[in-house]
Amino acid sequence: MEALMTFIFGSWGSDIAKTLWILLKIIAVVLPLMLSVAYLTYFERKVIGYMQVRIGPNRVGYHGLLQPIADALKLLFKEIILPTASNKILFFLAPVLAIAPAFAAWAVIPFDLNLVIADIDASLLYIIAMTSIAVYGVIIAGWASNSKYAFLGSLRSAAQIVSYEIAMGFTLVGVLMCANSLNLGKIVIGQVGGFWHWYVWPLFPLFIIYFISAVAETNRAPFDVAEGESEIVAGFHVEYSGMAFAIFFLAEYANMILVSMLAALMFLGGWLSPIPFIPDSFLWLLIKVAFLLFCFLWFRATFPRYRYDQIMRLGWKIFIPITILWIVFIGGMMQTSWGYLFH
Amino acid sequence: MIEFKDFVFYALSFVLVASGLSVITSRNPVTAALSLVLAFFNAAGIWLLLQAEFLAIVLVLVYVGAVMVLFLFVVMMLDINLDKLREGFWDYLPMAGFIGLLMMVEMVLVFKTKEFNLSPVDDSLKSISNTEVIGNTLYSTYVLPFELASVVLLIAIVSAIALTLRDRKDSKKINSSDQINIKRQDRVRLVAMKSEEKYVKSKTKDRK
């Protein structure tokens, strides 16, 4: 391929060939991701349905399996309404800004040993950076809509995401202290040798805090005050319809899969099998991610929505102090003869 | 013949300069803040070209992910009169242009000194993770200045909070800890008593 490109484009050939090859890899990640987002919505409706003693979607296709496709088609053909008083450019930019970081973060996710698009040294930092800019979509959507409900939703969301990001960042500090690396692949390899070597055990409080903060970061119930139906209709995306709304929806679910993937990689040993003599495989990662995603849906079906001031209290007064204390504790323990337990 | 890397550099710098211009010329403060975000992004891209991945990612993480979000948060809540903002643009232009020129001359003078005559990145450094290198230098050679900087930041945090922490006397703020620590006994009282049938009867009699 490189030779062909060199023949067509001259000295730029090899660079263009490289770019095309990376583009192909990106498609190989994004397409299955989109498909899993679609079927995550189906899974969610079925799981919550059964938890509430209902059947869930069962009309379109066998057991309702074609429901996500039908929903996608419906949203594609719906009109996108542009509010008269809105800022037109930013109104359409907002959904793009919501979904771009949600997909961009997947560039450094390792799916198996050396199966990763970009194996960079500071991949964990890159992920934090990408998830931290996801908030722009929400903020801009709320402001550009020029609607009270949307604006209130986006303000709530901005404050919430900024506060929970700190706790989330601190939990990751714990992980990188154990792994001695910022590279996700190396973090997983650091947990090799059975489930008792996974970082979830020495970092148990951090794992819990990471997962709860992840629920808050993705604006999912019980932390979904940014779109609290009972107070502000639909929050930041109240003015969006059709495909523009669908993109926010996609971004939310893609983010859910992303944070579950991260939790599985950092705390649950990624693609490593729980018992050493069973071979490691991508399937293990899939099972772990699916379980964590199930927890997301489980929370949504079980817990009532948090009140806004309680969310802030939980983030600032409970999670951040606990994470700092645990980091100091790990740092101290690593200096003692018990240090091997934390590596 | 320019290389692919040069092309990327010029593309990034062009967007960087354009968005920088848009920061100071756009009418709307929200657009200006968003242009600044774009400028940060492109600066991070240029650092990536120099293989300074740690600095690039931290620029995005700190400035784009945190500082600018809070900036936007404040700017969005302002009730802006766009016409007022535009007033006096040309009046201030000569003064602003002069200051800008002065700063540019100073920058050129600084960059022409020997200390800034940087050589291209050493190839031996490229194989090492620069996060690790920066960490090692920061926590060994420069540990005292680093700690000093953190203390200055701490003072800034404390003073910022002290300046803005004013409780209104008529505030109806809820104490969440009290709410969470509430027990059933504090709210519900079970009282054993007889039915009030007699009382009700006597009351109806009185009315007649």
Side-chain angles (χ1 to χ4, degrees), chain B residues 122-146:
Chain B
D122 194 354
D123 271 342
S124 65
L125 284 176
K126 283 182 182 171
S127 55
I128 318 169
S129 147
N130 60 52
T131 316
E132 217 175 307
V133 176
I134 289 176
N136 274 334
T137 343
L138 215 54
Y139 287 104
S140 54
T141 322
Y142 297 106
V143 67
L144 278 177
F146 181 72

Side-chain angles (χ1 to χ4, degrees), chain A residues 1 3 38 63 80 86 88 92 99 101 128 169 184-185 189 202 226 228 250 284 314 328:
Chain A
M1 188 163 167
H63 284 290
I80 298 175
S86 64
K88 276 148 204 82
F92 286 118
I99 201 157
I128 310 174
L184 278 169
I189 292 165
L250 272 178
W284 286 113
L314 185 70
V328 173

Side-chain angles (χ1 to χ4, degrees), chain A residues 130-144:
Chain A
M130 282 301 130
T131 47
S132 73
I133 59 175
V135 65
Y136 278 97
V138 176
I139 298 184
I140 294 173
W143 186 80

Side-chain angles (χ1 to χ4, degrees), chain A residues 3-324:
Chain A
L4 181 74
M5 285 294 163
T6 318
F7 177 71
I8 302 171
F9 296 105
S11 68
W12 282 29
S14 66
D15 287 323
I16 291 175
K18 231 183 261 172
T19 315
L20 280 180
W21 180 232
I22 292 171
L23 272 178
L24 279 178
K25 284 197 230 172
I26 292 172
I27 292 170
V29 171
V30 168
L31 273 187
L33 180 63
M34 297 281 256
L35 205 68
S36 41
V37 164
Y39 276 89
L40 181 57
T41 63
Y42 172 76
F43 184 52
E44 173 171 36
R45 293 170 70 177
K46 275 287 186 194
V47 165
I48 294 179
Y50 284 128
M51 282 187 181
Q52 296 167 347
V53 205
R54 294 184 285 116
I55 297 171
N58 71 337
R59 293 287 121 175
V60 192
Y62 179 71
H63 284 290
L65 269 172
L66 292 177
Q67 187 67 44
I69 314 286
D71 286 340
L73 280 177
K74 182 196 79 176
L75 286 167
L76 267 175
F77 287 116
K78 275 179 100 169
E79 183 189 358
I80 298 175
I81 295 160
L82 181 71
T84 331
S86 64
N87 186 324
K88 276 148 204 82
I89 302 167
L90 290 183
F91 188 79
F92 286 118
L93 194 67
V96 180
L97 283 176
I99 201 157
F103 282 165
W106 286 85
V108 296
I109 298 277
F111 296 98
D112 206 336
L113 199 62
N114 299 328
L115 193 64
V116 50
I117 297 179
D119 191 16
I120 62 174
D121 282 330
S123 53
L124 195 58
L125 263 183
Y126 171 82
I127 297 255
I128 310 174
M130 282 301 130
T131 47
S132 73
I133 59 175
V135 65
Y136 278 97
V138 176
I139 298 184
I140 294 173
W143 186 80
S145 304
N146 210 355
S147 144
K148 279 175 208 152
Y149 295 128
F151 188 56
L152 281 174
S154 76
L155 286 184
R156 283 178 174 197
S157 170
Q160 179 185 328
I161 292 182
V162 168
S163 349
Y164 276 83
E165 222 170 64
I166 302 170
M168 211 167 173
F170 276 135
T171 59
L172 304 188
V173 170
V175 173
L176 69 93
M177 278 169 78
C178 283
N180 264 327
S181 171
L182 276 170
N183 184 299
L184 278 169
K186 282 183 189 149
I187 289 173
V188 174
I189 292 165
Q191 307 175 57
V192 92
F195 69 87
W196 52 91
H197 284 282
W198 292 354
Y199 290 150
V200 64
W201 307 119
L203 303 176
F204 192 70
L206 297 188
F207 171 67
I208 299 293
I209 290 174
Y210 174 82
F211 200 60
I212 298 176
S213 308
V215 178
E217 283 267 293
T218 46
N219 270 330
R220 293 284 303 177
F223 296 97
D224 59 343
V225 286
E227 43 189 295
E229 294 90 349
S230 50
E231 303 143 26
I232 47 174
V233 192
F236 63 92
H237 58 52
V238 68
E239 302 290 345
Y240 284 86
S241 59
M243 214 43 212
F245 163 74
I247 288 174
F248 279 117
F249 204 69
L250 272 178
E252 183 182 322
Y253 283 79
N255 272 325
M256 266 166 73
I257 302 179
L258 177 73
V259 288
S260 308
M261 189 68 128
L262 280 175
L265 287 171
M266 293 186 307
F267 296 101
L268 301 176
W271 60 80
L272 302 172
S273 74
I275 302 155
F277 57 81
I278 302 173
D280 305 331
S281 133
F282 171 61
L283 282 176
W284 286 113
L285 186 59
L286 221 56
I287 293 169
K288 289 164 188 169
V289 171
F291 171 71
L292 292 171
L293 283 173
F294 172 74
C295 291
F296 266 92
L297 312 181
W298 192 3
F299 295 158
R300 183 174 166 192
T302 320
F303 295 123
R305 184 176 296 128
Y306 251 116
R307 209 174 58 202
Y308 190 72
D309 62 316
Q310 289 173 338
I311 290 184
M312 284 299 158
R313 179 179 172 275
L314 185 70
W316 287 99
K317 294 192 178 169
I318 299 176
F319 282 178
I320 294 177
I322 292 179
T323 46
I324 294 176

Side-chain angles (χ1 to χ4, degrees), chain B residues 109-202:
Chain B
L109 287 176
V110 168
F111 282 126
K112 283 188 95 173
T113 54
K114 244 194 302 181
E115 285 75 16
F116 268 94
N117 192 11
L118 295 175
S119 49
V121 185
D122 194 354
D123 271 342
S124 65
L125 284 176
K126 283 182 182 171
S127 55
I128 318 169
S129 147
N130 60 52
T131 316
E132 217 175 307
V133 176
I134 289 176
N136 274 334
T137 343
L138 215 54
Y139 287 104
S140 54
T141 322
Y142 297 106
V143 67
L144 278 177
F146 181 72
E147 290 298 325
L148 203 66
S150 66
V151 171
V152 170
L153 278 176
L154 184 68
I155 294 170
I157 295 171
V158 172
S159 48
I161 294 173
L163 280 175
T164 50
L165 193 70
R166 277 194 213 99
D167 255 337
R168 270 172 58 179
K169 285 204 178 95
D170 57 343
S171 163
K172 287 181 177 134
K173 203 169 71 184
I174 305 161
N175 188 342
S176 321
S177 319
D178 282 356
Q179 283 190 322
I180 288 165
N181 291 327
I182 209 89
K183 296 278 175 325
R184 191 179 132 269
Q185 297 93 285
D186 302 335
R187 292 277 165 90
V188 184
R189 193 161 53 99
L190 286 183
V191 187
M193 60 186 290
K194 283 177 189 161
S195 65
E196 298 183 55
E197 205 176 331
K198 209 172 166 188
Y199 173 76
V200 173
K201 260 184 192 165
S202 66

Side-chain angles (χ1 to χ4, degrees), chain B residues 85-103:
Chain B
L85 280 175
R86 201 67 179 162
E87 263 173 30
F89 182 84
W90 295 108
D91 296 342
Y92 290 121
L93 191 64
M95 191 63 192
F98 174 69
I99 293 173
L101 206 73
L102 206 68
M103 280 167 77

